[in-house]
Amino acid sequence: TCFQRSVAEDPSNQAAHYNLGNAQRAGGAFGKAAQSYKDALALDTPGPSMFADAYHGLAATQLAAGDAAASLATARLAMSLDEGLPTQQRSPAPRIAAGQATEALGDSDGAILLFDQALEMSRDSPSRADAHQARGRTLMGLGRLQESLEALDASLLAAPDTAQVHADRGVCLFEMERGKECLEAFDRSLRLQQDPEVAANAEQAAQYFGSK
């Protein structure tokens, strides 16, 4: 891939290792992705550091691989590195990762607190959409559907074309028995990105609301 070529051409390029890790994680190669993120973390090159993003990527990879405890440990380590910085200079990404791992370990209330911390740090950051989405999904799991919908709507205000957030919104609206809006949310998600799971949910919702 182009990211592998970039790493081969310049092994000291932190961003290349990070981008390769993202591609490997998206492809389900979690072991390789974890190593690429670790390779990125071993480097400190001139220009903007990608340490926070690489820690977030590593934590997300560990969570996707089923190791929530390792994911939380990685995220907490990243959080500790910017403890002394003013709030506005801290990265929200590790807090989002920590929240996701905390939820996976069964502490939804603790996860929401971490997502709220991330939102405080990301008033002008692209991570704001991610924090709102993660918060919305956790609230949905708690059955707090109106709050979940509000969080997902806030995520879409920050990043309107995120297919997964539209799909999450569809699930939330399904649980709220809001059929027309539910089907519209799934349709919007599928227009942005085809996904078999979302398509199956959309079909199930259409059958359910069509029978009422």
Side-chain angles (χ1 to χ4, degrees):
T1 67
C2 61
F3 299 127
Q4 288 172 319
R5 286 197 298 273
S6 296
V7 168
E9 290 169 3
D10 184 4
S12 68
N13 186 333
Q14 187 184 51
H17 289 283
Y18 169 72
N19 289 330
L20 178 58
N22 286 345
Q24 290 166 330
R25 175 159 61 97
F30 299 130
K32 291 180 179 179
Q35 186 57 55
S36 292
Y37 290 130
K38 289 175 182 177
D39 290 342
L41 290 168
L43 297 167
D44 190 11
T45 54
S49 172
M50 305 196 74
F51 281 146
D53 291 329
Y55 272 116
H56 188 190
L58 177 57
T61 298
Q62 291 166 326
L63 185 60
D67 195 344
S71 176
L72 182 57
T74 296
R76 281 178 171 166
L77 175 59
M79 289 166 61
S80 72
L81 296 177
D82 62 11
E83 270 307 305
L85 296 176
T87 298
Q88 64 272 20
Q89 293 181 23
R90 298 181 190 177
S91 170
R95 275 84 185 167
I96 297 171
Q100 291 167 328
T102 297
E103 182 189 12
L105 290 168
D107 183 5
S108 296
D109 290 333
I112 290 172
L113 287 174
L114 285 159
F115 297 141
D116 287 342
Q117 289 177 19
L119 286 168
E120 283 297 310
M121 298 174 186
S122 58
R123 295 186 185 280
D124 301 307
S125 165
S127 295
R128 191 164 186 79
D130 295 336
H132 276 303
Q133 181 190 15
R135 189 174 187 276
R137 297 183 79 163
T138 301
L139 287 164
M140 197 189 316
L142 291 171
R144 293 160 59 178
L145 299 178
Q146 184 58 42
E147 292 175 83
S148 172
L149 184 62
E150 290 169 3
L152 295 171
D153 285 345
S155 180
L156 289 174
L157 279 176
D161 294 330
T162 307
Q164 187 56 56
V165 181
H166 285 284
D168 292 341
R169 194 169 179 275
V171 173
C172 186
L173 289 163
F174 179 86
E175 295 295 332
M176 298 173 81
E177 297 276 343
R178 290 164 61 171
K180 182 175 183 294
E181 294 167 274
C182 166
L183 296 175
E184 288 172 349
F186 283 133
D187 180 67
R188 176 63 173 155
S189 176
L190 290 168
R191 286 176 183 273
L192 289 166
Q193 178 181 316
Q194 287 296 313
D195 183 299
E197 183 177 347
V198 176
N201 287 341
E203 183 178 353
Q204 179 185 4
Q207 291 173 352
Y208 176 78
F209 290 116
S211 67
K212 299 192 73 170

